[in-house]
Every structure is written in structure tokens, then in C-alpha cells.
């Protein structure tokens, strides 16, 4: 249960280093002060901790490395590395972010975003359920996180209520990528082949052991989650696991009396036994129950540009020199799936005029939005709504009547550069002073 | 007295001892030093596979080509090559990069930047040196600025920074100038270094750290 941050009470007198770590005095690697044990899962313990230097709250999951010595040690090691690289890539307002990993000979520590509101389960009322309206809000956030992960080729495969946390604003945070599989694990038939998940949330095609698609099993689990939030009980439940699996396989469940017919319709499409005809993410987003009251898909799914927050207006000679890529040590670092670039143009146009031209052009393009740029006096941020890119266009005065247009881009290596290449760059070239020696 | 090592005359016996030493001297944890070793290995085998970073390899990493002469790559290389033996060793790599850590002290960054810009290592940055660097940058990045504009920008910058009026910028003046223009230290910080354990996670399996 990677990342579970629940409030399970444990025996704090257990004589191991984790229990000692739960006392106030322990500081991990001189960096994180352990505050309290949040929960215990199958693979490790989760603590609430605080960064010593910044005071920032984090959740730290400590996992034993003893499985590495076992028979499947090699596969387990590969799984750990894969899991870290997946979690590193996942940055979405409704998924728990991984900040750092630490390790000793005996343990691995995952330093993650802290979800101050705890488990979503604690948000249900005394009778164990939620109104449809409240459940809709969390379901919308869940679907946006799942859609994001799927579009990055990452399937959760163990979605369940215990993995849904909320932050201090009561917004959803999906955690536990412990069983996530990237596309690399897809077999030659395009199907996933590892049996995993938690019994009550497992899709029927997994039980059939014929291989399955990560997309459809996640959608099934979302259906179980939605049903449970509103009904107050699991759609499929039995103490006897054989009987439980039989119920799932047959798709046997009963709706409570109080649910709306739109709700029933959506759930029946989510818990469709046939993965081929089960509702898709796109269809969910158009479903009448899902859309009621309106839903704004969160667009801030891009990682921020890597930069500190120093706002500059005029450039001096040293600013110009620091443009050199020979001085740009960040070139030493490999960046995940995103490409980071900076390009600059010198122009005689007025800053306001340049911004006008950029905004005017973006206004004619679909799925690209203009945002305020907090790090610039004169500038805008452009974001692709598909999460493909973020571009900051900033204008600095070099001298009277001469400005530098700086363009910082972070874009997906695949398919992230089209807007820049075909629209924005040609526009800026038009505004720029041309290099005398540049070829025509 | 011979001096192979940097701590109390006791030679570093293993990699792990060396990592602990590096972590104690820098802003990195031992784990981060272990992760940096993977980055170092990658960079140091890009052109000549001998486990050391040569100038061509630094150039390749920074500019994506290893042949073109570049004033700034030369400077960065010289700064990293603390022992001045023509290669960047792992300890040199970690010590130099630590200055770029978001948590490193501004004083160290200011000092490093000054030495970087002092291309003739004369203890000051003069008009000609500054102009040479500006022109080199403009050529390299294909940005067009008219000649008279370059001249006046250089002149203005020297005038602003040169508080004792001798026509050049010394270390003390540089420090004051950076105080007024904090953006000049931007290039001295790599936010990405915070992310190094996630970028090179395989250390978690082979770390030699006994206790946290």
C-alpha cells in the first residue's frame, strides 16, 4: 500500500527503528524531522514529517529492502526503479507527488507530498456515505487524475478508497503507485499480464486471467469507488473470496433505493463486465451525471518552468553573458520526458506591442491559453491545454528602443513543439532584428 | 607531509568514506552524492570512456557538440578542474556542483561567478573582458545587437558596478553589484539538483549508508 497515509493506530512500543523514528526526536538524514506515524501498509510505514530547513510538511514512506534478497530480488529491484521514475513523471493537482528518495542498506524512504486532510474515507458521514453532489466533486477530480496518468501511459491498477486522500483544501490526492505499470510491461498482445489489485475493486477480466488493459481495469475500480461513496457499502463484498469473485464475475450488485437514475446509468456503464464495451474516460467526461453543475478540467497539469523567482526589468552586460549555453550548467542534467529550452530575440518593437501580437495570435488557436506570469514585469505564460507545453514569453529592456524577448519553453519531447515551431517562433522572428549573417 | 586526502590525514579507504566526506563538505546528502555518481559516469563516458570528464565531454554535455571552441565552456571546465590536471574528477565534480545547489550559500555563488567572469584571472573584470564575453555570447546564441549598442551596454554596466572609479570591477565591487542585481546569480543555481535522487534512483539498491 505505497503512499497510504491513514491514521491506523499501531503498537508504538514495537522495538524497531521505525517505532523509535515515531518519537519526536528523530531526524532522517539530517533533513526530515519525523513527527508522527500515519499508518502501516503491507509494504511499509508512513510518517508525517517536516523538512528541517523549510518547515514544509511531507509524508515519508519507509519500505524494507529485505525482499531484494529473496528469490525475485532482481525483478523487485527493477520494479522499484520503475516505480520511482513513474512517480517522478506524474505531476497533477490530484495525484500525490514524489519529491525525493532516500535509502540506507536496509530501507528505502519515499518523501512525498503530504495530504493534510487524510483519507477521503474520513469525509463520509456517520452512515458511511456521501451526497451525490459531494461524491461527484471527488469523482471528477479522480477521473481527471486517472485521465492524466493514462495519457502518460501509466495505469494505477490498484485504485481504491484507501488510496484516495484529500489535502488541506479538501481536494483529492490519489496516492499509491506501488503497482503502477508503465507501457513497458505491456505484453506482445498489448495486454497487461500481472494479477494485482485489491479483491473488492478487481475487474472481472483480471479474474478471467486472460490479460487485460490497464485503462479499463482502472475505470472499473473508479466505478467501485463511486458506488461505495454514494451507497456507503461496496458493490461486491463477501467474506468468502471465492464467492466475492463469483459476484464480480457475474456483475451482481444492488443499488440503494435513494440513488438517482443518472447515477445508476453511469455506474452501470463503469461496472460493465465487458471491458470492450465499458465506458471510456472521454465518454465519462460527457456523461450527464458527471457533468451536472459544470466541470472545469484542471489545466495546470504541466510542471512549472525550472527557475527561481527573481524578477528583472533591465538587462546589463552580465545578464547578456549568462545567456550563453556554455555557462548554463543545467545542460549537464537529463530531463525526463520534457525538453527545456530558452531562446532569445532582440527587437526594436515596443514591449506592449509584442505582447499584443503574441496574445492576438494565441487567441486564434484552440487548446492554448494565456496566463499571467508572476515572474515577469512584462510577460505572459502560454499553456497547452493537453499538458504538452508551457511557454513563458518575457520582455526585458536592453537599452532605450531595444528589448530582449526571452522565451522559456518546457515541452513534451513528443508532440510538444508544434505550437512553438509553426506559430509562435515565426511570429517572434518577424518582430526580431535579423542577424546580418543569417542565411535567408 | 604528503597529502592524499582532505580530512585529518586519514586516507579515504572506500568510495563510501569518500561519499561521506563529500556530503559533509557540501549541501548534498550521501544519497545525493551516490546519485550524482550515476550522472558523473554518464557524462564521463560520453566521448572517452575512461571514467573521467574531459573538456570534450563537458562541451558535449553543455552544447551538444564536442568540437566547437567555446570561451565559456573553457572557463567552466577550468573552474571545475580544481587540481588543474586536465580532467574533472568525481570529487571535483561534486564540490563544484554543490555551489549550484539551491541551498548553497550566496557568498560561495558570488565568489564562483566572479572567478568565472574573470577570464584572464587578473582579479578584476575590465571593459575589454566584459565586451569579449558579451560578443562571444551574442555570436554563440545568434542574437543580433548592433555594435554601438554592445559598446554602450558594456560601458553602462562597468559604470554601475565600478564604485571606486578605476574603470574595472573587482571582487568587492562585484559583490555589491550582485547585491543590487540578484538576477545575476540565477545561473548559479540549478533547481534540478533537488531532483537528483529521482533522476538517478538506482542508488537506492546499492547504497552503503548504514543508518539514516
Amino acid at each position: 500500500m505505497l503512499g497510504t497515509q491513514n491514521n491506523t493506530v499501531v503498537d508504538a512500543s514495537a522495538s524497531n527503528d521505525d517505532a523509535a523514528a515515531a518519537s519526536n526526536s528523530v531526524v532522517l538524514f539530517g533533513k526530515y524531522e519525523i513527527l508522527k506515524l500515519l499508518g502501516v501498509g503491507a509494504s511499509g510505514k508512513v510518517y508525517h514529517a517536516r523538512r528541517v530547513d523549510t518547515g514544509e510538511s511531507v509524508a515519508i514512506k519507509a519500505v524494507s529492502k529485505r525482499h531484494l534478497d529473496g528469490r525475485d530480488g532482481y525483478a523487485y529491484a527493477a520494479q522499484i526503479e520503475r516505480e520511482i521514475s513513474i512517480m517522478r513523471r506524474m505531476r497533477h493537482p490530484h495525484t500525490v507527488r514524489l519529491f525525493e528518495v532516500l535509502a540506507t542498506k536496509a530501507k528505502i524512504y519515499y518523501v512525498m507530498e503530504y495530504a493534510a486532510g487524510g483519507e477521503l474515507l474520513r469525509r463520509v458521514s456517520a452512515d458511511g456515505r456521501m451526497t451525490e453532489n459531494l461524491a461527484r466533486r471527488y469523482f471528477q477530480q479522480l477521473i481527471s487524475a486517472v485521465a492524466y496518468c493514462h495519457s502518460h501511459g501509466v495505469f494505477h491498477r490498484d485504485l481504491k478508497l484507501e488510496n484516495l486522500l484529500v489535502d488541506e483544501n479538501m481536494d483529492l490526492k490519489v496516492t499509491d503507485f506501488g503497482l503502477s505499470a508503465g507501457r513497458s510491461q505491456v505484453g506482445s498482445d498489448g495486454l497487461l499480464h500481472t494479477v494485482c489489485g485489491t479483491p473488492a475493486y478487481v475487474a472481472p477480466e483480471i479474474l478471467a486471467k486472460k490479460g487485460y488493459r490497464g485503462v479499463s481495469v482502472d475505470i472499473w475500480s473508479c466505478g467501485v469507488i463511486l458506488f461505495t461513496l454514494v451507497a456507503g457499502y461496496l458493490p461486491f463484498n463477501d467474506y468468502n473470496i471465492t464467492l466475492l469473485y463469483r459476484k464480480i464475475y457475474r456483475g451482481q450488485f444492488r443499488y440503494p433505493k435513494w440513488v438517482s437514475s443518472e447515477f445508476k446509468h453511469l455506474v452501470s456503464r463503469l461496472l460493465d463486465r465487458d471491458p470492450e464495451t465499458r465506458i471510456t474516460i472521454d465518454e465519462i467526461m460527457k456523461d450527464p451525471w458527471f457533468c451536472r453543475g459544470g466541470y472545469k478540467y484542471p489545466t495546470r497539469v504541466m510542471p512549472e518552468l525550472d527557475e527561481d523567482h527573481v524578477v528583472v526589468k533591465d538587462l546589463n552586460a552580465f545578464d547578456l553573458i549568462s545567456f550563453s549555453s556554455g555557462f548554463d550548467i543545467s545542460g549537464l542534467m537529463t530531463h525526463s520526458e520534457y525538453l527545456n529550452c530558452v531562446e532569445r530575440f532582440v527587437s526594436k518593437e515596443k514591449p506592449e506591442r509584442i505582447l499584443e501580437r503574441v496574445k492576438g495570435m494565441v487567441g486564434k488557436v484552440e487548446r492554448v491559453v494565456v496566463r499571467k506570469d508572476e515572474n515577469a514585469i512584462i510577460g505572459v505564460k502560454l499553456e497547452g491545454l493537453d499538458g504538452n507545453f508551457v511557454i513563458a514569453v518575457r520582455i526585458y529592456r536592453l537599452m532605450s528602443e531595444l528589448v530582449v524577448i526571452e522565451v522559456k519553453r518546457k515541452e513534451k519531447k513528443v508532440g510538444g513543439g508544434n505550437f512553438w515551431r509553426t506559430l509562435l517562433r515565426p511570429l517572434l522572428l518577424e518582430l526580431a532584428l535579423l542577424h546580418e549573417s543569417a542565411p535567408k | 607531509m604528503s597529502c592524499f586526502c582532505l580530512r585529518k590525514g586519514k586516507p579515504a579507504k572506500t568510495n563510501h568514506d569518500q561519499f561521506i566526506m563529500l556530503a559533509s563538505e557540501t549541501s548534498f546528502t550521501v544519497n545525493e552524492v551516490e546519485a550524482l555518481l550515476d550522472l558523473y559516469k554518464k557524462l564521463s563516458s560520453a566521448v572517452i570512456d575512461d571514467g573521467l570528464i574531459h573538456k570534450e565531454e563537458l562541451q558535449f554535455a553543455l552544447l551538444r557538440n564536442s568540437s566547437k571552441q567555446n570561451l565559456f565552456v573553457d572557463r567552466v571546465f577550468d573552474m571545475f578542474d580544481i587540481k588543474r590536471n586536465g580532467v574533472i574528477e568525481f570529487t571535483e565534480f561534486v564540490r563544484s556542483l554543490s555551489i549550484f545547489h539551491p541551498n548553497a550559500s550566496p557568498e560561495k555563488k558570488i565568489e564562483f561567478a566572479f572567478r568565472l567572469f574573470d577570464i584572464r584571472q587578473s582579479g578584476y573584470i575590465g571593459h575589454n573582458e566584459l565586451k569579449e564575453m558579451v560578443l562571444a555570447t551574442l555570436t554563440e546564441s545568434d542574437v543580433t545587437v548592433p555594435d554601438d549598442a554592445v559598446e554602450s551596454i558594456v560601458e553602462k554596466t562597468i559604470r554601475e558596478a565600478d564604485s571606486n572609479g578605476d574603470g574595472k570591477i573587482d571582487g568587492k565591487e562585484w559583490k555589491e553589484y550582485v547585491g543590487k542585481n540578484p538576477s545575476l546569480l540565477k545561473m548559479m543555481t540549478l533547481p534540478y539538483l533537488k531532483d537528483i535522487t529521482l533522476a538517478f534512483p538506482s542508488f537506492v539498491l546499492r547504497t552503503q549508508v548504514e543508518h539514516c
Side-chain angles (χ1 to χ4, degrees):
Chain A
M1 293 211 291
L2 180 72
T4 306
Q5 299 173 6
N6 57 23
N7 263 354
T8 316
V9 179
V10 292
D11 179 10
S13 66
S15 60
N16 57 35
D17 55 355
D18 285 338
S23 80
N24 273 353
S25 59
V26 174
V27 177
L28 281 184
F29 294 83
K31 216 172 161 180
Y32 298 100
E33 184 193 353
I34 300 290
L35 300 175
K36 121 180 204 209
L37 182 64
L38 292 173
V40 182
S43 62
K45 297 180 183 175
V46 183
Y47 301 94
H48 177 199
R50 182 166 55 202
R51 268 193 76 137
V52 173
D53 55 350
T54 62
E56 182 189 7
S57 264
V58 293
I60 297 185
K61 182 181 170 81
V63 179
S64 164
K65 281 163 82 171
R66 64 177 178 275
H67 301 293
L68 287 168
D69 302 326
R71 196 163 43 93
D72 299 321
Y74 181 78
Y76 185 64
Q79 159 93 5
I80 288 171
E81 281 198 48
R82 191 171 49 234
E83 177 187 310
I84 293 168
S85 67
I86 288 171
M87 283 191 77
R88 177 178 183 232
R89 278 157 56 201
M90 293 301 104
R91 291 197 191 173
H92 183 274
H94 300 305
T95 63
V96 167
R97 192 178 146 192
L98 176 67
F99 295 124
E100 179 178 14
V101 281
L102 296 161
T104 62
K105 277 183 172 172
K107 284 196 163 69
I108 302 174
Y109 300 89
Y110 297 84
V111 182
M112 300 174 295
E113 190 176 355
Y114 176 66
E119 283 193 24
L120 177 62
L121 265 178
R122 284 164 52 203
R123 302 290 138 201
V124 299
S125 60
D127 52 0
R129 52 191 163 97
M130 268 181 198
T131 62
E132 284 187 32
N133 283 343
L134 187 56
R136 177 182 300 111
R137 180 174 122 83
Y138 289 118
F139 185 70
Q140 288 170 339
Q141 297 183 343
L142 171 66
I143 292 300
S144 100
V146 171
Y148 169 81
C149 292
H150 287 182
S151 72
H152 285 74
V154 175
F155 314 112
H156 193 292
R157 299 201 296 171
D158 194 21
L159 285 167
K160 55 184 171 183
L161 273 169
E162 290 84 342
N163 287 334
L164 303 187
L165 309 175
V166 287
D167 65 13
E168 64 280 9
N169 304 319
M170 294 304 133
D171 281 323
L172 192 73
K173 295 277 175 185
V174 183
T175 186
D176 201 341
F177 284 79
L179 293 163
S180 284
R183 286 223 167 95
S184 57
Q185 276 196 331
V186 175
S188 54
D189 53 359
L191 299 173
L192 293 159
H193 284 275
T194 325
V195 174
C196 56
T198 303
Y201 294 83
V202 156
E205 63 267 28
I206 294 182
L207 302 176
K209 295 193 175 130
K210 284 189 295 203
Y212 54 90
R213 290 179 204 284
V215 177
S216 8
V217 307
D218 277 353
I219 291 174
W220 173 277
S221 305
C222 289
V224 177
I225 288 167
L226 176 60
F227 181 96
T228 310
L229 284 177
V230 172
Y233 57 87
L234 288 158
F236 311 104
N237 204 2
D238 205 297
Y239 290 111
N240 182 319
I241 196 127
T242 314
L243 294 177
L244 169 65
Y245 284 165
R246 188 176 296 160
K247 284 179 182 169
I248 293 171
Y249 200 67
R250 289 179 182 163
Q252 289 175 345
F253 64 96
R254 279 188 308 122
Y255 294 101
K257 290 193 287 284
W258 57 82
V259 298
S260 67
S261 57
E262 288 97 336
F263 174 84
K264 279 189 198 169
H265 180 259
L266 175 57
V267 170
S268 71
R269 296 285 293 112
L270 292 160
L271 298 181
D272 180 344
R273 288 170 56 237
D274 183 355
E276 297 300 321
T277 54
R278 192 172 302 152
I279 193 168
T280 64
I281 294 278
D282 286 344
E283 288 165 350
I284 293 172
M285 288 179 171
K286 288 178 197 137
D287 177 87
W289 187 88
F290 184 90
C291 295
R292 188 184 298 164
Y295 175 60
K296 217 168 133 258
Y297 189 79
T299 48
R300 296 194 69 89
V301 294
M302 284 289 295
E304 283 299 297
L305 291 162
D306 304 326
E307 55 188 3
D308 49 16
H309 305 278
V310 187
V311 178
V312 202
K313 195 172 168 211
D314 294 346
L315 298 178
N316 58 45
F318 290 105
D319 290 315
L320 279 180
I321 295 167
S322 62
F323 291 175
S324 168
S325 51
F327 271 165
D328 184 7
I329 309 294
S330 66
L332 294 178
M333 312 295 169
T334 41
H335 291 273
S336 52
E337 66 187 309
Y338 290 102
L339 205 62
N340 290 273
C341 313
V342 187
E343 261 180 78
R344 297 176 182 89
F345 306 84
V346 174
S347 171
K348 284 188 171 166
E349 293 282 342
K350 289 206 164 51
E352 302 74 35
R353 172 92 187 115
I354 297 169
L355 280 193
E356 246 170 57
R357 291 284 303 268
V358 170
K359 287 180 184 167
M361 188 270 288
V362 174
K364 292 179 203 141
V365 185
E366 268 183 48
R367 302 203 64 70
V368 176
V369 290
V370 177
R371 291 188 191 287
K372 196 170 167 282
D373 184 354
E374 308 83 17
N375 291 339
I377 293 176
I378 312 170
V380 281
K381 253 186 195 172
L382 312 176
E383 282 184 27
L385 285 181
D386 302 322
N388 279 336
F389 66 84
V390 54
I391 299 177
V393 180
R394 290 164 192 170
I395 299 159
Y396 305 111
R397 203 178 61 188
L398 193 51
M399 21 186 323
S400 55
E401 306 200 338
L402 216 52
V403 298
V404 171
I405 311 170
E406 181 187 73
V407 185
K408 278 197 173 168
R409 286 147 54 212
K410 186 171 201 141
E411 64 194 26
K412 273 212 198 127
K413 282 178 182 160
V414 180
N418 286 341
F419 170 75
W420 166 245
R421 268 197 316 276
T422 60
L423 294 164
L424 186 54
R425 190 165 191 277
L427 172 72
L428 295 178
L429 279 175
E430 212 179 284
L431 297 169
L433 292 178
L434 285 178
H435 201 284
E436 282 153 25
S437 62
K440 283 183 186 173
Chain B
M1 200 175 87
S2 66
C3 200
F4 292 98
C5 53
L6 292 150
R7 201 174 52 169
K8 291 179 186 170
K10 207 167 87 187
K13 283 175 197 154
T14 61
N15 271 355
H16 186 54
D17 289 340
Q18 197 186 45
F19 289 177
I20 292 172
M21 189 180 71
L22 284 169
S24 71
E25 289 172 10
T26 63
S27 314
F28 297 116
T29 63
V30 176
N31 281 167
E32 284 172 325
V33 174
E34 289 172 324
L36 281 171
L37 182 61
D38 282 345
L39 170 62
Y40 180 81
K41 280 180 179 163
K42 196 178 141 214
L43 296 174
S44 65
S45 59
V47 181
I48 308 159
D49 194 3
D50 62 352
L52 296 163
I53 296 181
H54 295 255
K55 191 178 280 184
E56 294 83 353
E57 286 164 331
L58 183 73
Q59 174 142 358
F60 182 73
L62 295 177
L63 305 180
R64 303 285 159 226
N65 81 59
S66 57
S67 53
K68 218 164 51 179
Q69 184 80 16
N70 184 293
L71 172 69
F72 303 110
V73 173
D74 288 356
R75 270 318 283 150
V76 171
F77 187 86
D78 289 346
M79 295 287 293
F80 274 58
D81 179 16
I82 300 165
K83 289 189 200 161
R84 307 202 151 267
N85 59 351
V87 288
I88 301 171
E89 294 169 15
F90 181 59
T91 52
E92 294 173 330
F93 181 70
V94 175
R95 288 202 180 96
S96 302
L97 271 188
S98 80
I99 295 166
F100 291 83
H101 196 284
N103 297 348
S105 82
E107 284 72 30
K108 279 189 179 167
K109 291 175 192 278
I110 291 170
E111 198 246 10
F112 194 94
F114 182 75
R115 289 198 289 133
L116 207 55
F117 291 141
D118 178 13
I119 48 175
R120 306 217 207 295
Q121 292 152 69
S122 56
Y124 59 83
I125 303 163
H127 181 282
N128 290 346
E129 289 166 290
L130 191 54
K131 189 169 178 186
E132 185 183 339
M133 290 189 280
V134 170
L135 289 173
T137 308
L138 296 177
T139 312
E140 176 204 308
S141 51
D142 260 351
V143 172
T144 312
V145 178
D147 275 346
D148 53 334
V150 172
E151 185 63 36
S152 74
I153 290 162
V154 169
E155 231 179 76
K156 182 166 171 265
T157 303
I158 296 269
R159 209 169 46 239
E160 283 168 0
D162 176 25
S163 48
N164 68 7
D166 64 354
K168 53 199 185 190
I169 305 167
D170 60 31
K172 193 168 156 272
E173 289 167 339
W174 169 250
K175 203 177 165 183
E176 290 165 9
Y177 191 57
V178 172
K180 286 180 228 151
N181 299 277
S183 68
L184 296 182
L185 283 191
K186 254 184 177 177
M187 59 177 278
M188 293 302 303
T189 295
L190 292 179
Y192 179 80
L193 283 176
K194 276 188 180 167
D195 209 25
I196 194 79
T197 60
L198 301 183
F200 295 95
S202 63
F203 76 90
V204 302
L205 306 171
R206 50 177 167 71
T207 180
Q208 293 298 305
V209 175
E210 298 276 357
H211 302 288
C212 45

